[in-house]
Amino acid sequence: MAGTSVLLHCRSLVWIGSRVVTSGAINNNISFIVKQSVRDFCSKMSAAELAKKAAACAAVDNHVTDNCMLGVGSGSTIVYAVERLADRVKTENLKVQCVPTSFQARQLIINHGLNLSDLERTPELDVAIDGADEVDDQMNLIKGGGGCLTQEKIVAANAKYFVVIADYRKRSKVLGEQWKKGVPIEVIPMAYKPVMSQLCLQFGGKAELRMAKAKAGPVVTDNGNFIIDWQFDAVPENWKSVNQEITLIPGVVETGLFVNMAKKVYFGMDDGTVSIKE
């Protein structure tokens, strides 16, 4: 956007209005509050990224072995998992076949020089590692914030062991506590309107067609479909039943509800440690 700037180095630069200035050039009349808020912002960002990396590295170290058939998830946390995987493959000479869950995952695998496969050649996976938008106390997940839910669920369902990696902000007692954008639902384009109506009629809440930010029109998935985000009013007592009922609506391809699928969750904490739930 014209007139804005990017904060490049948190320790030496401060964003003031539309200008970036060095800390030594900041005028004395710049309030302490402004400078402190920028430092706090940088600190929070680095803590979150540190947490993602810690969870990703722990999962790869604990679950990837030689001759592993691996499902590679999508999202920002997976980037760290692939980086760690590539490092281990190089230093330990591991042989790993990687099945992606999205175009992003495929590019990560290729760009890191890893062996790319698919479910046609590798239909049975030893483990799948993926992120989540939210994880509740029962290890139910909401996924699909990045629009890759269908391929993510297919890959996870074909793995003997499904491992989730996330930072501390994704942990909730119940779904909807942290993630406020609703349950992503992939739909056939011609059916999006009737599916939205049926969701509200059958379950209440609000359903919205997800619109793209860098193009005109709706988000289009890797499968050529649309995404509906269903925001529920009250937390259902039985997510498994809700998931099954939604998938029965004509036009629904898949939901972002991953119920009774995760075997272990690695939560990276803001101090760099990892909390494991299983």
Side-chain angles (χ1 to χ4, degrees):
M1 182 180 297
T4 61
S5 54
V6 178
L7 184 64
L8 298 176
H9 301 288
C10 292
R11 293 181 179 178
S12 60
L13 301 178
V14 174
W15 181 31
I16 304 175
S18 61
R19 299 184 299 117
V20 175
V21 297
T22 62
S23 57
I26 298 175
N27 295 330
N28 292 332
N29 61 348
I30 299 299
S31 71
F32 173 80
I33 296 176
V34 172
K35 291 184 285 185
Q36 184 65 42
S37 66
V38 173
R39 285 196 292 268
D40 290 344
F41 172 78
C42 295
S43 176
K44 289 178 182 178
M45 289 297 291
S46 60
E49 294 305 312
L50 179 67
K52 292 178 184 180
K53 186 171 185 177
C57 290
V60 170
D61 287 351
N62 289 342
H63 297 283
V64 178
T65 58
D66 195 23
N67 297 313
C68 181
M69 307 299 177
L70 175 67
V72 177
S74 306
S76 59
T77 309
I78 286 298
V79 173
Y80 295 113
V82 174
E83 289 175 353
R84 177 57 181 161
L85 175 63
D87 180 62
R88 287 194 60 204
V89 166
K90 181 178 180 180
T91 57
E92 301 174 37
N93 196 29
L94 299 180
K95 294 179 176 61
V96 180
Q97 295 295 321
C98 301
V99 175
T101 57
S102 65
F103 179 84
Q104 179 219 17
R106 185 177 186 276
Q107 292 303 109
L108 284 171
I109 293 166
I110 293 172
N111 292 341
H112 284 81
L114 299 169
N115 292 327
L116 177 68
S117 188
D118 52 44
L119 288 177
E120 187 172 9
R121 290 174 290 178
T122 314
E124 295 183 4
L125 305 174
D126 296 307
V127 61
I129 300 176
D130 205 347
D133 297 307
E134 188 172 36
V135 185
D136 73 7
D137 277 348
Q138 305 303 313
M139 295 204 307
N140 296 316
L141 318 174
I142 290 180
K143 290 176 52 58
C148 308
L149 57 145
T150 298
Q151 292 187 37
E152 288 174 335
K153 187 174 284 190
I154 292 171
V155 170
N158 285 280
K160 297 174 184 176
Y161 207 81
F162 178 38
V163 176
V164 175
I165 53 178
D167 64 74
Y168 56 93
R169 301 171 301 174
K170 308 299 177 65
R171 190 170 194 169
S172 298
K173 291 184 178 180
V174 295
L175 295 183
E177 180 182 344
Q178 300 289 345
W179 180 253
K180 303 298 184 182
K181 298 180 181 180
V183 177
I185 301 168
E186 185 164 348
V187 300
I188 300 297
M190 68 171 292
Y192 85 90
K193 199 69 173 182
V195 170
M196 289 170 59
S197 298
Q198 187 61 34
L199 282 169
C200 296
L201 178 65
Q202 194 168 341
F203 303 102
K206 181 174 64 173
E208 295 182 345
L209 180 66
R210 187 184 298 180
M211 304 304 291
K213 294 182 179 180
K215 65 174 280 290
V219 167
V220 178
T221 71
D222 288 356
N223 309 308
N225 297 316
F226 291 170
I227 296 286
I228 292 171
D229 291 303
W230 170 56
Q231 299 178 20
F232 47 91
D233 288 331
V235 179
E237 294 182 3
N238 190 333
W239 278 116
K240 182 178 180 180
S241 176
V242 169
N243 180 63
Q244 291 174 337
E245 290 180 47
I246 292 176
T247 57
L248 290 175
I249 299 174
V252 169
V253 177
E254 191 52 86
T255 82
L257 290 168
F258 285 53
V259 182
N260 299 330
M261 294 186 69
K263 302 297 184 184
K264 184 175 290 189
V265 183
Y266 289 79
F267 290 105
M269 309 308 291
D270 57 359
D271 61 356
T273 61
V274 175
S275 174
I276 302 175
K277 184 175 181 62
E278 57 186 336

